Amino acid sequence: MEDNLFEGTESLVTPAYVRVARAARRSRTAQFRQLLTQRRLPRQGLDQHTIRLLLDELSGLDANQFLGQANVGEREGRLYSELVRVRHFGMAHGMGRAGDLAASQPKACGASLLVRLCTALLLDALHLAGFASCRHVALLPVATGMAITLCLLALRQQRPSADRVLWIRIDQKACLKCICAAGYLIEVLENKIVGDQVVTDVEALKRRLEESDPSRYAAVISTTSCFAPRAPDQVVSVAQQCQRYGVPHLVNHAYGVQSRRCNGLVCAASRLGRVDAVIFSFDKNFMVPVGGAGVAAATPILIDALQVLYPGRASVAPVVDLFITLLQLGREGFTALLNEREERFVQFKERLAPILEKHGERLLHTPENPISFAVSLRDTMVRFGVEPSAIGSMLYARRCSGPRAVLGTERRQVQGVVLAGYGAHIADYPTPYLNLAAAIGIQAHDITRFCRRLDHVLETVRRRQTSLVSAVAAH
Amino acid sequence: MEDNLFEGTESLVTPAYVRVARAARRSRTAQFRQLLTQRRLPRQGLDQHTIRLLLDELSGLDANQFLGQANVGEREGRLYSELVRVRHFGMAHGMGRAGDLAASQPKACGASLLVRLCTALLLDALHLAGFASCRHVALLPVATGMAITLCLLALRQQRPSADRVLWIRIDQKACLKCICAAGYLIEVLENKIVGDQVVTDVEALKRRLEESDPSRYAAVISTTSCFAPRAPDQVVSVAQQCQRYGVPHLVNHAYGVQSRRCNGLVCAASRLGRVDAVIFSFDKNFMVPVGGAGVAAATPILIDALQVLYPGRASVAPVVDLFITLLQLGREGFTALLNEREERFVQFKERLAPILEKHGERLLHTPENPISFAVSLRDTMVRFGVEPSAIGSMLYARRCSGPRAVLGTERRQVQGVVLAGYGAHIADYPTPYLNLAAAIGIQAHDITRFCRRLDHVLETVRRRQTSLVSAVAAH
Amino acid sequence: MEDNLFEGTESLVTPAYVRVARAARRSRTAQFRQLLTQRRLPRQGLDQHTIRLLLDELSGLDANQFLGQANVGEREGRLYSELVRVRHFGMAHGMGRAGDLAASQPKACGASLLVRLCTALLLDALHLAGFASCRHVALLPVATGMAITLCLLALRQQRPSADRVLWIRIDQKACLKCICAAGYLIEVLENKIVGDQVVTDVEALKRRLEESDPSRYAAVISTTSCFAPRAPDQVVSVAQQCQRYGVPHLVNHAYGVQSRRCNGLVCAASRLGRVDAVIFSFDKNFMVPVGGAGVAAATPILIDALQVLYPGRASVAPVVDLFITLLQLGREGFTALLNEREERFVQFKERLAPILEKHGERLLHTPENPISFAVSLRDTMVRFGVEPSAIGSMLYARRCSGPRAVLGTERRQVQGVVLAGYGAHIADYPTPYLNLAAAIGIQAHDITRFCRRLDHVLETVRRRQTSLVSAVAAH
Amino acid sequence: MEDNLFEGTESLVTPAYVRVARAARRSRTAQFRQLLTQRRLPRQGLDQHTIRLLLDELSGLDANQFLGQANVGEREGRLYSELVRVRHFGMAHGMGRAGDLAASQPKACGASLLVRLCTALLLDALHLAGFASCRHVALLPVATGMAITLCLLALRQQRPSADRVLWIRIDQKACLKCICAAGYLIEVLENKIVGDQVVTDVEALKRRLEESDPSRYAAVISTTSCFAPRAPDQVVSVAQQCQRYGVPHLVNHAYGVQSRRCNGLVCAASRLGRVDAVIFSFDKNFMVPVGGAGVAAATPILIDALQVLYPGRASVAPVVDLFITLLQLGREGFTALLNEREERFVQFKERLAPILEKHGERLLHTPENPISFAVSLRDTMVRFGVEPSAIGSMLYARRCSGPRAVLGTERRQVQGVVLAGYGAHIADYPTPYLNLAAAIGIQAHDITRFCRRLDHVLETVRRRQTSLVSAVAAH
């Protein structure tokens, strides 16, 4: 609504009140104007009322919401259910066009505008979190795995003769599947152990690139965010090798945006070597539902190729979620979340240490992993004969979600690749363990409850085994 | 809540009232039970209250909604914004797992259940609409174009030596892009003209398959729903040839589900020939926002391959939209929509005919296309010198969305393929035209408004030209 | 938001799309402008999106939604729960001030505006429904009973010596209570029977006013909407007597607004006699939740007195509900509802007649009651010994809500008044009956289901009794 | 839904996941069961998802939400607008019946249950806040002023010969109007000054009751929550006098529930003297929208009378708001709010003190008022000639809401009563002042912003006056 609309209202309501209210209204308009012109995160997060107003304004620019519209095409954004309409604020046309995922839509001016604004806000958030070198970002309405697949499909057109991807081992199924889905062979680069940590074997990478024909590789994929005791890859070194041998480099930065340290890594790698794209999850970094991923880069080459490659339209829902959340966070809110996570990460380990000691276990020493850490389950297995998976099941049944129990001796074939010590990112990791994370949004009660329940579970299995042993001894 | 919970309430509220209310509650539970056990569309659509209850119940089964949960992983479905939470009913984990898009999720029992139920309801809706041969359907959280790309990626693993797709020409950019995105070459099979219609050149198809090595083709792609004067492909014949030559056959059934006639076609083709998968849009057929597509088939082979191929999780939002809409429609509601569309298709043409006649134009005779039709703009161009695109722009500015103006003489290169007469699906279509559709959900006022505005636009351009001519003559 | 805000967006989205979208936006603004300046029901109802936009705009004018507000008073419209905030669109200050229920609020410019607009829309709706003489209306956030009490309290200040109300008998408890609550004695004017109908005994009214001191009466209360076989009061005659004797006249028009005939009555009465106020329900006439009532009149005297009398603020929720509903209805929607109700009223009786005949019962002949009608239960009671209340209970248990079973021989003391034949509005009504209504919003399925169930219930009791009699006879 | 409903789902979703989800579901059911049986505030507040589930369950017990219902009455809870339905969770029948505001409704089992539960929760909250003597509470869907009117109307039936109310002066218009609306004369009991405070003149009260006929008084009305420098009334002494003279005693506890100190007062008064009812606001104490009030007492006499007096049904919306808010607060949340308010009250005064000193003003010393305080504006007026109202207006225009500027020399007639020094609760209060409050929910930024703006306003008026004086002097 226009401000002048309210001129007439002074005959209905005391003019002095209207004056103050209109002034307040102009403050809100000024807020919107700032957003539309500066396209940066607001300092303070917006309240829900303001965000709703903005969404309703934007969706009002979409043709399916126009008054007096005549719809005579085959895709007109008609919505049958009011429940569905409300949850999407009336936006029905998704994002993108046949030509380009980032293109404006003739029938969805509002949604198109939203996508542009969200792109700018996300870029600002990435800078705020320390990914300063980022200049371009694509918003993809698919999760991280599929986003990597799309990057690989886009690379195919640049490197038609490549048939494989050089994959620095990380034992998550989706990381292998996203390569196969794109139709590439997987070539594994194994890691090495240093102390408790599993780290990139940079020397092996060098040798591999030197010894083989680099043009066979569509890309090298490295990872910043991973389960301890694996450390983030040495992406700077990897980037340097990729630059040297002219091989594209994709960084799987899945939940790395939440860590300023991980962002620092990709930032340095972009500056000092070759990084074609950094792929990260919306849900894992910005606390939105699963469904979207960002692809960031210092240059627009792969970003543009990606958006042109994408065939047709896509759901705009993940972008709307991100847009709402970024506006609600603001610079201060996002910074607070980042800080809080770091503090809780430290607290979590401090709270666990004495409990572990009591049960003869310990925190593995993984100083380079800023999000995930692991606790040994050696004593539990060796002295009490309890497998890590049993501990995992007991925790799951006690409403602990997230811990991953790793034995480290399993051999598994995934997508045609045989991996020894599956789950541990390396063969022969010396100790079974339980993996934990202090991810963005973790609450104090998550830590408290988990510590109490882990203590109880370890207590229980030990007592049970001990009594079993006593029982056997008694015979 | 359990029914027995209300036993205690009889001390708070008159017992007779509680009794009747509990009986009514049991009717609703019976409705849910029927849904969970029979997994078919309810006869009558459910009201919004009931649907909300069901969604809240389901989302309550997801771990991020549990009471007393301890979240210590890296992806815990945390939602920052309450606005986002509400619009997703608290569901945050998306759908699928690393292993399989159709797999149950340990942290999202409710969403997993919803996906299963929705799959069953969709299958029922397809049967109701005449796609009786369908036995399996995958729900993909991507739109039609990307869904075809995924099908092609899944086919690559079955036919590693294939490098191209045989594409029966349909002039929509996304249809070409979805092939390129998957990394295949496009081989065009041109159409032919019969009367006003553009139809499949079955003979040419036969020749092509006979003359070339069928193993080079990853698939033949045919289309059932298209803009008139193109007719739906003769998918039965295509399917028979595919069977004969052992080539996979994908049917682009984008908005064909809304037409019982189009469904009849794919159904017959599945019975009489080879159809590997039928890809259709959620938004175009079920009036939900852009974002989801279904892949249906009589056998599970490609369906399963697709779901296993998909790397990682995906947004569940498009499935939730479909679920809500199917429940709200019920069998009666969906049937009513299908009937209504057919009636409006006839009405639309009847209403336009006299207007066209008045302006010296006519409906093109396209009896095989049950959704789209076209009106000539020959006189407008030849006598008055007005290009179709000018008519299109004037209609767009008058809030008519959907009409596509086609000149038919344009030559364009799309994704490396040169297409003569781009937009008309064939070179040298004899007349310029305007394309229109009566798609599902079309309202009487869409027709009324459009007819009035087209009449007005044609009137305007003619008068303008006539006065110009008079002006010239006067000199 | 201001329209010029979108000027900058043309650098983000294709300018042609922005142009059309801004034009569409201006249409919506024009709609709002018309509403704010003309203050009449829109011809066609507004869609939910538009209504939400308007509500959000209005609530944005309330101080508790201002950006940068400093709240240092004792009542600042703070809302703890986001769930509560959302359902009230952020409006927290209610309506009215200490001084006047209709006064603008300094902290709630938006809500104040909403109340004014709603008053104007309601007036328009009343005119549309045939209450043409209405010039003033107060929106009260209390239901009909309490609204009548408030009218009586307002009358007290005009007539300090009055101690009683002359009440034309209508057997609904709230109608008696609203008089007592105001601290008045009830003086009953009994009705008389004409044919099947219970009608106003106008002669008795004349005598009563003639014989007693009119200044003792705070008011005469008549009723237009009532349960058949009672007919609406002869309000014109009553109004004429009130005028003659100088006694205030309140018309209980509870659910009469939905009937153009009832509105015609109050309209004529206002023109031809004395009507101080016409009280009607929001929920019963406009399909909103219970909670609001309107007080209408041709002159502002009592209306103003009422608003000044009301001590303090009140919930604005019932007004918001009415506002939303009136906007959503529009003139066409409201007219359609009124027409539909009249048609269903006729259908309902037509559908019941043969069923009743089958069971030896009949429709009572009550031609003056346009909303309610009654069916005899004489045969059921006399021949089969089944009391009306048993029929009522059986229907209630079968999810029929609304039917009232009346025996007509009960004697009850209500609020100190003894009423013979309680429930029938008169002593000695000759037949027991069941009372039904075709009220606004009644659906075809309500009629179908009810007819089926009544048939079944009558069948059941007869069969049961017959078999009992046979059993007795067999002995 | 019943838990056993999910048994069948194990064929759809991995049984282990269903097991854990069902266990979590049972925890939620247990939470509901506890609520329904113990009827106390939960320790921790419930999340919005749980509250929505509960509301949807309850509203599902109302007849207008039943499946297969046949509605043939005149009030069937039909809702036209889906927007309205959603905001009321489908509850349409309001609360109460003709017979009793607290009675169960045959068509609204769910809403009836909600009202009962809310009553119990409110009682628990009152106890928690220190009003330990409270045993009965009525939930009224009207604000405080009207609630007092209703109490007086209920008292009329107990004391038919009373014609006046003894009102301990408190200068708020609604406090006078609520007496007049009930039809009583107002007899003023003036206050006295002690130090900076305006306090109850208990001696004068004694004399008045002794000298006049107590049966003439319907009630004495005292007040606990008021604007400083008025102190809360000495309700214990008032209660003792009321007991001694047999006069009913109503305590206007409008926003007193938020202060444990004020609650302590009414609690002691109930124990040591006569308190018939304590009336308090929902919105001012529990951060819900304006619209509801509670009437609490140690005995049920007046409470019951009130509920029986109320004629007809009423909106249930204010009770729903309270219900949601109490559940969301829980014991911990409510206690935290109470504590926070107390802390902010202290902080606010500490923050203001130096600013006032700078401008030659001071905090008035009002140690007995725990919510409100006042700052002098004497210097501002005397030395700079600026009236308090000018300061008030400047603050209002700067988005400070709540401050009340009092001159103290105004003489006003309100509802027929002449009050000298209107606004100051007493004639001849020695200093003009500005009144402020730290009410429940006050935020740190309210204090910060207000202090800054007051400083700025005082600065501005002084500078302006000084320059004016200089200008004059210069001439």
Side-chain angles (χ1 to χ4, degrees), chain B residues 158-410:
Chain B
Q158 296 174 20
R159 294 169 77 83
S161 65
D163 69 343
R164 64 195 58 208
V165 164
L166 184 52
W167 175 71
I168 306 180
R169 180 170 169 188
I170 168 121
D171 290 2
Q172 285 180 274
K173 211 171 174 183
C175 300
L176 291 124
K177 288 183 66 179
C178 64
I179 300 170
C180 292
Y184 286 103
L185 300 172
I186 298 168
E187 201 173 296
V188 184
L189 188 85
E190 292 286 350
N191 297 305
K192 63 179 185 184
I193 297 185
V194 175
D196 281 346
Q197 286 191 136
V198 176
V199 300
T200 322
D201 189 343
V202 179
E203 286 311 306
L205 173 67
K206 274 188 207 168
R207 278 197 305 276
R208 187 77 59 93
L209 289 174
E210 213 166 69
E211 290 162 8
S212 54
D213 170 11
S215 73
R216 296 184 61 188
Y217 296 117
V220 172
I221 300 183
S222 64
T223 304
T224 61
S225 55
C226 58
F227 301 135
R230 192 190 188 286
D233 276 321
Q234 299 188 25
V235 283
V236 176
S237 306
V238 176
Q240 287 167 333
Q241 298 308 317
C242 286
Q243 189 164 42
R244 184 165 166 199
Y245 292 98
V247 181
H249 180 201
L250 302 182
V251 183
N252 180 353
H253 194 46
Y255 46 102
V257 173
Q258 69 189 284
S259 157
R260 282 176 277 218
R261 183 168 180 160
C262 289
N263 289 322
L265 284 179
V266 291
C267 202
S270 296
R271 263 202 329 274
L272 304 173
R274 174 169 185 170
V275 175
D276 293 69
V278 177
I279 299 99
F280 57 92
S281 162
F282 289 173
D283 56 288
K284 288 180 183 165
N285 292 296
F286 297 101
M287 301 173 70
V288 292
V290 166
V295 179
T299 70
I301 303 168
L302 189 58
I303 308 294
D304 288 353
L306 248 182
Q307 291 177 328
V308 169
L309 170 101
Y310 196 95
R313 284 173 177 75
S315 171
V316 78
V319 177
V320 172
D321 292 337
L322 182 64
F323 184 66
I324 292 171
T325 301
L326 288 174
L327 287 177
Q328 207 165 332
L329 279 166
R331 300 178 73 78
E332 290 181 4
F334 188 45
T335 306
L337 271 185
L338 296 179
N339 292 341
E340 213 171 84
R341 194 200 68 75
E342 286 173 15
E343 291 157 17
R344 296 249 158 84
F345 178 70
V346 175
Q347 288 164 16
F348 197 173
K349 295 204 283 189
E350 285 171 0
R351 292 281 300 278
L352 266 181
I355 295 170
L356 294 172
E357 202 180 339
K358 177 175 135 194
H359 296 289
E361 302 292 0
R362 66 177 182 94
L363 287 167
L364 300 184
H365 184 62
T366 54
E368 289 177 40
N369 195 321
I371 300 169
S372 169
F373 61 95
V375 303
S376 71
L377 289 177
R378 171 193 292 270
D379 201 52
T380 310
M381 191 167 93
V382 174
R383 280 187 47 208
F384 296 91
V386 183
E387 297 248 331
S389 64
I391 302 296
S393 296
M394 290 174 77
L395 289 169
Y396 177 68
R398 282 159 182 76
R399 292 186 210 159
C400 293
S401 91
R404 295 172 63 254
V406 176
L407 183 60
T409 60
E410 212 182 333

Side-chain angles (χ1 to χ4, degrees), chain C residues 221-274:
Chain C
I221 300 182
S222 64
T223 304
T224 61
S225 55
C226 59
F227 300 135
R230 193 191 188 286
D233 277 320
Q234 299 188 24
V235 282
V236 177
S237 306
V238 176
Q240 287 167 332
Q241 297 308 318
C242 286
Q243 188 162 45
R244 185 165 166 201
Y245 292 98
V247 181
H249 180 200
L250 303 181
V251 182
N252 179 351
H253 194 48
Y255 47 101
V257 172
Q258 71 189 281
S259 157
R260 282 177 279 218
R261 182 169 181 161
C262 289
N263 289 322
L265 283 179
V266 291
C267 202
S270 296
R271 264 202 329 276
L272 305 172
R274 174 169 184 169

Side-chain angles (χ1 to χ4, degrees), chain D residues 11-52:
Chain D
S11 67
L12 290 172
V13 174
T14 313
Y17 309 163
V18 176
R19 254 192 319 274
V20 171
R22 286 177 68 186
R25 204 174 167 281
R26 279 191 290 270
S27 300
R28 182 161 278 127
T29 304
Q31 208 177 30
F32 288 161
R33 192 181 307 277
Q34 195 175 26
L35 187 67
L36 283 165
T37 53
Q38 303 194 357
R39 299 160 202 170
R40 302 194 59 191
L41 288 180
R43 192 171 58 79
Q44 279 197 312
L46 307 188
D47 60 87
Q48 289 192 29
H49 173 75
T50 305
I51 294 174
R52 277 206 66 94

